Amino acid sequence: MGNYAVILAGGTGSRMGNVDCPKQFIEVYGKPIIVYTLETFSMHPEIDKIVIVSLKEWHDDVKALVRKFEINKVAAIIEGGETRQLSVYAAIQYLNENIEKDDIVLVHDAVRPLISQKI
């Protein structure tokens, strides 16, 4: 049995107005917000693998951040849909082919890095 964290990083931050990049890539204290979220899940002893759902045009950036910050539990970076629901669906489709029947899947938003280990 394994535990998978699906991190949704496909949003564009359109409600923030005119920005150069999606809000998950905005740096706060030297790291993009997505890195804080990935580190939280990567450091958790009960999370086995992470699947990141991202806009295709940001995949290279996500890969670079995963390497730079040594987020070792990332199993895949997949393309998201036009909505949050379609992005979750894309992750479930990917996982359906790659996980066991008793595995647990958690879904979390990349721009919500202040999640505790307990939660």
Side-chain angles (χ1 to χ4, degrees):
M1 186 168 97
N3 296 321
Y4 289 78
V6 172
I7 306 299
L8 300 174
T12 60
S14 59
R15 289 181 297 188
M16 290 182 60
N18 189 12
V19 294
D20 293 335
C21 68
K23 60 186 171 184
Q24 58 270 27
F25 297 105
I26 294 172
E27 285 197 15
V28 176
Y29 294 109
K31 292 182 193 177
I33 294 171
I34 188 174
V35 171
Y36 291 104
T37 303
L38 293 172
E39 287 175 337
T40 298
F41 283 92
S42 185
M43 290 186 293
H44 198 289
E46 293 186 37
I47 296 296
D48 299 306
K49 295 187 180 181
I50 298 170
V51 175
I52 303 169
V53 183
S54 174
L55 295 170
K56 187 172 181 95
E57 57 266 25
W58 288 91
H59 281 199
D60 288 341
D61 296 274
V62 173
K63 289 176 191 174
L65 291 171
V66 166
R67 280 191 307 274
K68 179 179 179 179
F69 291 96
E70 299 177 0
I71 311 295
N72 298 320
K73 292 185 180 180
V74 174
I77 301 167
I78 65 170
E79 185 173 357
E82 289 185 27
T83 66
R84 178 183 176 88
Q85 291 81 4
L86 289 174
S87 291
V88 171
Y89 182 70
I92 298 301
Q93 283 186 306
Y94 169 82
L95 289 170
N96 193 40
E97 299 174 8
N98 294 283
I99 65 174
E100 301 297 319
K101 179 181 174 184
D102 294 333
D103 290 345
I104 295 171
V105 177
L106 307 168
V107 179
H108 191 76
D109 192 348
V111 295
R112 309 254 186 268
L114 302 177
I115 185 168
S116 70
Q117 293 288 314
K118 182 178 178 180
I119 291 174

